[in-house]
Amino acid sequence: MASTISPGSRCTTRVKATHSFLEWEIDGYSGLPGAEQQATRSPVMEAAGHRWQMSLYPGGTGSSTHRPRSRRHVALFLNYCGEEELRVKFHWTLVNQAAGKQHLVKEATTVMFGKCTDGVNMRQGDECFVESDQMADEANGWLTNDRVVIRLDLTVFGDPASTVSVDEGSWEPPKTWQRDMNQVLDELPWFDHPAETPTSTEVGAEAAKMGGLATDCVINVTTGSVGGLANGKDVMSRGRSFAVHRLVLCARSPYLRGLFSSPMLEAQSGVVNETEIEPEVFEQMLCWVS
C-alpha cells in the first residue's frame, strides 16, 4: 500500500564566515624599543569589516604567567578596536624572506573579542611567539636586512541565522512493482480467437479497446501461419491475442525492442503476428519479462 509522510518542519542554520588578513612590515627592526613590556603598535587597519591593531613586544611582556620564559621571547598580540562582540579564528605567520626557508606559522586559535571599553582594546595573542635569539639570527630568514614581515590570517564568524520551513509531506509510491505488474498482466484482455477471425488489424483494435489500461500493442500468437481467405477474412489457426504495453516489452526484451524500433509494419501498426511459439509458452514468457 502507498505510504504518506505527515507534515513536518525543517530547520537550516547558517553561520557567515568572513575571511581576511593583515600584514605588517617593519623596516629597521633593531631600532624598536627592546625593553621588557615596551610595545610597538601598528597603525589601526581594517579587515573582515572590523578595525584591528597589532602589538609587538621585542623584549617580551614580562608576564608573571610565563616568567622568566617570556623574557626570552618576542610577544605578539592582536588588538580589537571595535564595539561588538566577535568570535574570531586567526593564526600568525612570521614570513621567511630567505629563499628555500620555512615560514613560522602558529597554530590557529579561535577566541572571543569583547567590546572596547574606556579606550582599552581587548587583545589576544602569544606571549611566547618566537625566541628572541631565533628572531635575531638572520640565518633563520625571519629577520633579513633588519626587516620583519608579520602576517595575520583571520576569519570572523557572524551570529548563527536559522530559517524554518514546513514540509507539507509527500506521497511515496508503494514498493510493490513486481506484484503490481503481475496484476496488470492478469487484467489484460488476452483472449482465444477462433480459426476464422477478423483481420489482424481489426483484432488489434478490438484488443486495445478491451484493454482499458492504455495498452498500445497487440501480439497475435497462433499455432500455424496465416493462409488463405474465407469470406474476405484472414484465416488463422487457433491461438491467442495479447494486448500489451510496448514500452514494458521494449525495456525487457532486446528482440521486441528491435522489432518495435524498426521501420517494419509491426512497428507502425502496433500489431505483431507470431507463429513460431505456442500461446501458452508465449504467455509464460510475457510474465517472465514483465
Side-chain angles (χ1 to χ4, degrees), residues 24 26 29-30 32-41 54-63 66 68-78 92-95 104 106 123-137 140 142-143 148-150:
W24 186 16
I26 303 172
Y29 179 82
S30 61
L32 298 179
E36 189 177 295
Q37 297 185 346
Q38 284 190 302
T40 298
R41 294 181 173 85
M54 297 187 207
S55 296
L56 181 68
Y57 294 78
T61 60
S63 169
H66 296 287
R69 183 167 173 255
S70 63
R71 295 177 179 177
R72 302 192 305 270
H73 287 77
V74 176
L76 187 60
F77 291 90
L78 175 64
W92 300 102
T93 300
L94 185 56
V95 178
L104 176 62
K106 291 291 186 173
R123 72 180 190 179
Q124 299 282 357
D126 191 347
E127 291 184 328
C128 301
F129 178 64
V130 61
E131 290 187 16
S132 301
D133 292 343
Q134 290 183 344
M135 172 73 92
D137 187 354
N140 291 323
W142 302 321
L143 177 61
V148 171
V149 179
I150 301 170

Side-chain angles (χ1 to χ4, degrees), residues 206-220:
E206 182 65 19
K209 182 177 68 175
M210 294 174 60
L213 292 169
T215 55
D216 60 356
C217 176
V218 174
I219 301 179
N220 299 317

Side-chain angles (χ1 to χ4, degrees), residues 77-230:
F77 291 90
L78 175 64
N79 305 316
Y80 171 55
C81 307
E83 299 295 328
E84 304 175 47
E85 292 186 348
L86 300 178
R87 187 165 67 92
V88 181
K89 180 179 181 180
F90 68 91
H91 71 266
W92 300 102
T93 300
L94 185 56
V95 178
N96 201 304
Q97 304 167 69
K101 297 287 186 177
Q102 296 292 321
H103 300 311
L104 176 62
V105 181
K106 291 291 186 173
E107 185 177 353
T109 304
T110 302
V111 296
M112 290 295 300
F113 282 97
K115 64 187 301 184
C116 174
T117 59
D118 299 327
V120 178
N121 298 332
M122 183 175 181
R123 72 180 190 179
Q124 299 282 357
D126 191 347
E127 291 184 328
C128 301
F129 178 64
V130 61
E131 290 187 16
S132 301
D133 292 343
Q134 290 183 344
M135 172 73 92
D137 187 354
E138 291 201 10
N140 291 323
W142 302 321
L143 177 61
T144 302
N145 297 324
D146 208 22
R147 177 175 175 268
V148 171
V149 179
I150 301 170
R151 179 185 172 97
L152 176 83
D153 291 272
L154 76 162
T155 301
V156 177
F157 299 99
D159 294 330
S162 299
T163 56
V164 178
S165 59
V166 177
D167 191 331
E168 297 296 340
S170 59
W171 176 83
E172 291 186 346
K175 298 177 176 59
T176 54
W177 166 261
Q178 184 173 6
R179 186 197 67 187
D180 295 341
M181 285 302 299
N182 289 336
Q183 181 177 350
V184 168
L185 293 172
D186 290 340
E187 295 175 359
L188 291 177
W190 300 348
F191 54 90
D192 298 325
H193 52 72
E196 184 176 326
T197 66
T199 64
S200 58
T201 302
E202 292 172 337
V203 171
E206 182 65 19
K209 182 177 68 175
M210 294 174 60
L213 292 169
T215 55
D216 60 356
C217 176
V218 174
I219 301 179
N220 299 317
V221 181
T222 62
T223 55
S225 59
V226 176
L229 292 173

Side-chain angles (χ1 to χ4, degrees), residues 268-282:
Q268 305 299 320
S269 66
V271 177
V272 177
N273 294 313
E274 180 61 61
T275 62
E276 300 298 326
I277 189 173
E278 294 292 332
E280 294 77 15
V281 176
F282 187 80

